Amino acid sequence: VVVVSIGLGGALLVDVAGFLAVALVLMVVRPAYEPAREVGNTRTELVAGLRAVREVPGVVGLLTGVALLAGGLLPMLTHGVPLLVRSRGWDAGVAGVVEGCWVAAGLAVSLVVARVGTRDRVLAPLVGGPLLSAVGAIGLVAAPEPYVASAAAGLMGVGTVLFTSHVFPLLVLKAPE
């Protein structure tokens, strides 16, 4: 959307300004320096981490769900939307609008979850989130018009954030001390 509205040069300037703002914030709120701990063999550390994951009940299933959702949706958004727009003969700006709808819907769900919280309401979002995302993906593929594709992408965003906003607190709660 930015490239269409202000061109590549403008998009570059917006990107540089965003980078500088983030760099400035990181310099201001820089955490205290902690010297690196002694690290063993990388392979040994990896095996120890995988062993710890297997020992905590439920973590393997949660991480598998995250991997499946990410593996299914990220290619759909990064490759599927531009290919869909091109195959339908729509304007390139439609791809930006469709992906923007995914982001906006996800942000809206994030705000609701931040306000309401996740405690005691876990099962429905963990099952319903991926289902909503799947319905949105099917709707995106079958979309005859850009507004249908935008609505389907919004549904994907709702499902994605509904799932991730409930699964990651569970993973944090299950993390060993």
Side-chain angles (χ1 to χ4, degrees):
V1 174
V2 174
V3 172
V4 172
S5 61
I6 59 176
L8 286 174
L12 176 66
L13 291 176
V14 169
D15 193 31
V16 168
F19 171 78
L20 292 175
V22 169
L24 179 67
V25 169
L26 288 175
M27 284 188 272
V28 170
V29 295
R30 180 183 67 183
Y33 173 73
E34 290 183 25
R37 65 178 179 87
E38 188 64 35
V39 178
N41 183 339
T42 303
R43 184 172 187 264
T44 307
E45 294 283 326
L46 182 62
V47 169
L50 291 173
R51 187 176 302 118
V53 165
R54 279 196 322 259
E55 291 174 2
V56 180
V59 171
V60 171
L62 292 173
L63 290 175
T64 302
V66 170
L68 289 172
L69 189 72
L73 291 182
L74 292 179
M76 181 64 156
L77 292 165
T78 58
H79 301 305
V81 170
L83 290 172
L84 172 77
V85 167
R86 185 174 180 165
S87 72
R88 299 283 197 273
W90 297 337
D91 187 270
V94 172
V97 171
V98 169
E99 293 199 21
C101 287
W102 179 74
V103 171
L107 181 60
V109 172
S110 295
L111 294 173
V112 170
V113 170
R115 177 74 176 125
V116 174
T118 60
R119 179 165 277 168
D120 300 328
R121 294 186 278 288
V122 177
L123 185 59
L126 290 180
V127 173
L131 288 176
L132 284 174
S133 294
V135 169
I138 292 167
L140 190 61
V141 170
E145 295 292 330
Y147 68 90
V148 177
S150 298
L155 192 59
M156 286 174 60
V158 168
T160 303
V161 175
L162 196 60
F163 175 77
T164 57
S165 64
H166 287 79
V167 76
F168 290 126
L170 281 177
L171 287 170
V172 170
L173 288 174
K174 290 182 172 287
E177 295 289 325

